[in-house]
Amino acid sequence: MTSVPTALARVLTLLDCVTAERRLGGLLLFDLDPALLPLLGRLLAERLAEGAERALHGGAAGPDGPSGEGAARSLGPIVVLGAWSTAESIWLPTAPAHHGFALRPGTLVEQDDDGPPPVALVPDLEHAPLPVVQAALALLDSDAASVERLGHSLRWEPRTRWLAALPRAAAARLSPHLLDRFPLRADAGDLARILHALRTEGPRRPVPDAAASATARPPEAPASPGAPQGPETPEPADDLALLRALMPERRCRPHPTRLPRLGPEAAALVVALMPGSPGRRRDLALARTARVLASGAEQIGAEHVREAARLLGLTTPQAPAPPRPAAPLPAAPPVAPPPPTAPEPTTAGTLASPPTADPAGARSAVVPPAVRALDPEQASVAGENPGPPYPEDDPAALPPFASLRSDRHRSAAERPTGGRRTGVRPARDLHDLALVPTLLEAAKFQAVRRPGAPSRPDAADRPGAPHGAPPEAPPGLAVSAADLRQYQRTRDSGRALFLLLDHSCRAGWDLGPPLAPFLRWAYRESAAVTVVEFGHHGAPNETTAERYRAASLLDPRILASVGRVPGAASPLAHALDLTAQELRRFHRKSRGNHHEAVLVVVTDGRGNVPLDASLLGRVTARVGREGVGDALTAAAAVRALPRTRTVLVAPETGLHPDLVFDLAEALDAEPLLVAADPAGPPTAPALPGGAGHRPEAGPPR
């Protein structure tokens, strides 16, 4: 049989651990192909059904194994959670009954304690709606769950296993409270390629069981040598049969009263290996994984903890050697230090020991420590993992502010509007109604609401209908208020921050402190950010300004824009013209009167490129003061826009101070002067006290 690649073996072993231990939490798969998540969910459901069958028969397998015909009938529910999932469908949905309507348990409410546990699949954890996120926080690693809605009370012990897929690049932008519920992590970006290679391996391909072979594709005729060899389309039946064949042997859990205990050495190793976190779920997940791997042993040893750490992608250091007793140091007369000498050249991969100078006839009492070789297990783990298992621990990770908080406390005039459509939800008002989902929801209940209505509008005019007899009910569609649906959109707070950055005036002062209050406000309010920048080294065209839009302050391009290297050209007029266009677009796109725009202009007012030259992309003649005049004209257009707060941040260099105040008057902006030394190195400026510097109160007024 073909050896299983490390990435696939790690995922399959983690699935086996999740099957054996309910309290391990969710399994998060980085960069997984979305087409493989249902296959892994089906494989996990089969393992859970096999475990339930073993428990029902007292540890003996039933007549039908996990891949037999009986396993398909005894599988637990597989629930797919996405943008279509609402709080009503998850906890207590409304369903038609023989007497009208009734409330049914939701998709994540468990009522069958003897059957196989359900499996919850989240194909895109990055864009999961708030009800799915709140359900994961409430159910994962919990001893009990309850629902209190509409006068109904439901209580159960959550046994659902969770599988979620997430791009690794997006992990740092999620809430750490949500990621803490998924302590088991695995890189699954290569699973699709690995399965394709194993399926097309030929004679060395593993032979699946009989039931899996019945659902696999028939063998194709060999292609001719001259035929083009294109990529083979993956078949779900083939991949599922292959995963069944490669799944490791089930680790049977012993009786709960005879679980292996965690030894003192293993407990100390768990704390040493797992990175620190605010909670203790990671340490417990490592210890519980080691307990599953040590199934059948009397005690959990350090080797089980190391195996679990390698399984989770952690670096396992080599066990230190026992210390040797130190020999007594002989008395030696004091010796003057030798003169410094140049270090000897070293080759790559070796460590140079410091030069030692011993007096003649005396032996040095200090023995240089030996260089310890790298643990081969540690080297293999470091080479297999493309990244750390917990990207949210990176100091550069910045999750959205209050991402787990609902916005229902806001009034109707302050609710977020706009944003990309991600699904539908029951309507709470008549704003942003989804017509087609509303009609589809109403069509479900027509047989109950209008029992005498014809199935088709022209049913009364068919040849078999009595001549002149009116229909029992007029044709139409009865729509209730409970059928109304609204579009569910990505969060848009209705607030925006516009940054106009003139990098040509950045020499000698730090831009971070004056921008800090505005960046804190944008982060707290989840404001969209638009950046217009110019005058930096490496620009594609120095005579024009550049702009881009970011959904939030978490976009990495914003940090790169704040740290640009100053350039020479200063197309201030073109930048102000682009800013006016972006402001008009924002006000035109926003609805109602609750939106707010904050414009921060960072410049010294010395624009040396006219607007015509920027539009042409080149300077054709001497410009003189034409660039400054065009900048003041463009600033007047910005001033005329409503509901825009403008702040002008300028370095106090003493060169042409009148330009700064003329521009501030044209923009109707509040000037904020920052002490700077053009000839000196960049230093952190001291903000003036009269500028209204309030770092925690939002944009200064």
Side-chain angles (χ1 to χ4, degrees):
M1 178 178 289
T2 306
S3 60
V4 183
T6 306
L8 180 58
R10 178 176 295 152
V11 172
L12 296 179
T13 309
L14 285 175
L15 286 178
D16 186 51
C17 294
V18 170
T19 304
E21 179 59 62
R22 177 186 64 86
R23 297 293 302 274
L24 270 177
L27 174 58
L28 187 60
L29 302 173
F30 289 124
D31 302 323
L32 177 69
D33 187 357
L36 297 180
L37 187 62
L39 301 180
L40 297 178
R42 174 61 184 261
L43 191 64
L44 179 59
E46 291 178 355
R47 275 301 173 101
L48 292 172
E50 180 189 357
E53 187 178 1
R54 287 175 180 269
L56 184 62
H57 292 82
D64 297 323
S67 57
E69 297 294 334
R73 296 190 300 267
S74 62
L75 290 184
I78 301 177
V79 182
V80 182
L81 304 174
W84 55 89
S85 302
T86 61
E88 179 185 10
S89 64
I90 290 176
W91 304 121
L92 207 62
T94 303
H98 63 278
H99 58 276
F101 299 97
L103 295 176
R104 305 295 187 188
T107 56
L108 294 181
V109 177
E110 305 176 33
Q111 289 187 317
D112 186 10
D113 296 336
D114 298 330
V119 175
L121 306 180
V122 185
D124 190 1
L125 189 63
E126 179 186 6
H127 299 101
L130 188 59
V132 175
V133 173
Q134 292 175 344
L137 295 175
L139 298 181
L140 278 172
D141 197 14
S142 298
D143 294 325
S146 63
V147 172
E148 307 286 342
R149 290 174 64 92
L150 304 176
H152 290 70
S153 178
L154 300 175
R155 287 179 173 83
W156 71 96
E157 180 185 358
R159 302 178 301 146
T160 305
R161 272 50 168 198
W162 289 66
L163 297 181
L166 176 69
R168 175 176 284 275
R173 298 193 296 268
L174 291 186
S175 170
H177 298 284
L178 174 61
L179 295 176
D180 189 43
R181 298 305 196 276
F182 293 89
L184 302 185
R185 316 281 178 87
D187 291 284
D190 294 337
L191 287 192
R193 180 185 57 82
I194 292 174
L195 290 177
H196 177 74
L198 292 176
R199 287 195 310 109
T200 57
E201 208 170 22
R204 297 178 59 192
R205 172 180 172 180
V207 181
D209 51 16
S213 302
T215 59
R217 293 182 306 168
E220 299 180 357
S224 58
Q229 299 293 334
E232 183 181 356
T233 304
E235 291 285 344
D238 286 352
D239 289 341
L240 183 58
L242 184 59
L243 289 174
R244 286 170 179 160
L246 298 178
M247 192 71 179
E249 183 181 357
R250 177 180 171 83
R251 299 178 184 270
C252 300
R253 288 287 306 277
H255 194 271
T257 59
R258 296 192 300 270
L259 291 176
R261 296 182 178 182
L262 191 67
E265 182 182 358
L269 190 58
V270 166
V271 178
L273 289 179
M274 184 58 67
S277 62
R280 300 258 59 97
R281 284 188 173 86
R282 297 182 186 176
D283 300 343
L284 293 175
L286 179 59
R288 288 164 178 166
T289 305
R291 185 172 63 184
V292 175
L293 298 178
S295 178
E298 294 294 335
Q299 189 178 21
I300 303 175
E303 65 278 5
H304 301 119
V305 177
R306 292 179 182 275
E307 183 182 357
R310 289 193 297 270
L311 189 62
L312 299 182
L314 301 174
T315 302
T316 56
Q318 188 180 20
R324 293 179 300 177
L329 300 178
V335 180
T341 58
E344 297 181 0
T346 59
T347 59
T350 60
L351 296 177
S353 58
T356 57
D358 297 336
R363 180 175 299 177
S364 174
V366 180
V367 179
V371 180
R372 189 178 62 185
L374 183 66
D375 187 5
E377 297 179 352
Q378 178 179 356
S380 62
V381 170
E384 293 167 1
N385 295 332
Y390 303 104
E392 65 270 20
D393 294 344
D394 191 349
L398 192 62
F401 180 77
S403 60
L404 305 180
R405 185 183 305 170
S406 176
D407 57 349
R408 293 185 179 182
H409 63 280
R410 296 189 177 187
S411 62
E414 295 180 351
R415 279 184 195 157
T417 58
R420 181 172 55 87
R421 296 176 181 177
T422 59
V424 294
R425 62 182 179 183
R428 297 193 292 264
D429 49 38
L430 298 180
H431 174 69
D432 200 20
L433 291 178
L435 181 59
V436 175
T438 298
L439 297 179
L440 291 177
E441 186 69 21
K444 300 177 184 178
F445 310 104
Q446 295 309 300
V448 178
R449 297 174 183 170
R450 306 174 71 245
S455 59
R456 293 176 51 187
D458 57 345
D461 300 333
R462 289 183 296 180
H467 179 70
E472 298 181 4
L477 194 66
V479 179
S480 174
D483 302 331
L484 297 179
R485 292 294 183 267
Q486 283 179 321
Y487 285 113
Q488 186 172 353
R489 301 176 181 269
T490 56
R491 180 178 177 85
D492 184 4
S493 62
R495 293 168 174 82
L497 175 64
F498 296 85
L499 296 177
L500 192 152
L501 304 179
D502 180 4
H503 300 290
S504 63
C505 66
R506 292 277 308 280
W509 62 290
D510 188 9
L511 184 58
L515 282 185
F518 307 100
L519 299 181
R520 290 193 187 101
W521 172 81
Y523 174 68
R524 185 176 61 250
E525 299 295 337
S526 300
V529 182
T530 300
V531 178
V532 180
E533 57 181 345
F534 61 93
H536 57 278
H537 180 71
N541 191 345
E542 294 186 354
T543 61
T544 60
E546 305 172 19
R547 62 178 169 181
Y548 62 87
R549 307 183 188 107
S552 66
L553 191 67
L554 308 181
D555 197 303
R557 295 176 295 177
I558 299 176
L559 183 61
S561 296
V562 175
R564 302 282 190 192
V565 178
S570 179
L572 179 59
H574 187 223
L576 289 171
D577 184 66
L578 293 179
T579 304
Q581 296 177 19
E582 293 296 323
L583 284 169
R584 292 192 192 98
R585 176 183 176 274
F586 170 72
H587 290 302
R588 182 174 64 252
K589 182 181 177 181
S590 301
R591 308 178 216 176
N593 299 325
H594 64 277
H595 61 279
E596 181 182 1
V598 177
L599 171 61
V600 181
V601 180
V602 181
T603 182
D604 57 358
R606 294 185 291 175
N608 55 14
V609 180
L611 182 58
D612 294 341
S614 298
L615 297 178
L616 292 175
R618 64 182 184 277
V619 179
T620 57
R622 293 179 59 87
V623 297
R625 193 180 169 82
E626 185 179 353
V628 177
D630 291 348
L632 297 178
T633 303
V638 176
R639 178 177 183 174
L641 296 175
R643 292 185 295 274
T644 301
R645 180 169 184 79
T646 308
V647 178
L648 177 61
V649 180
E652 194 176 8
T653 59
L655 300 176
H656 305 286
D658 54 326
L659 297 180
V660 175
F661 293 100
D662 290 343
L663 183 60
E665 183 179 359
L667 288 170
D668 192 18
E670 302 175 9
L672 177 62
L673 300 181
V674 182
D677 183 12
T683 57
L687 295 180
H693 178 54
R694 296 178 295 178
E696 300 300 336
R701 297 184 177 273

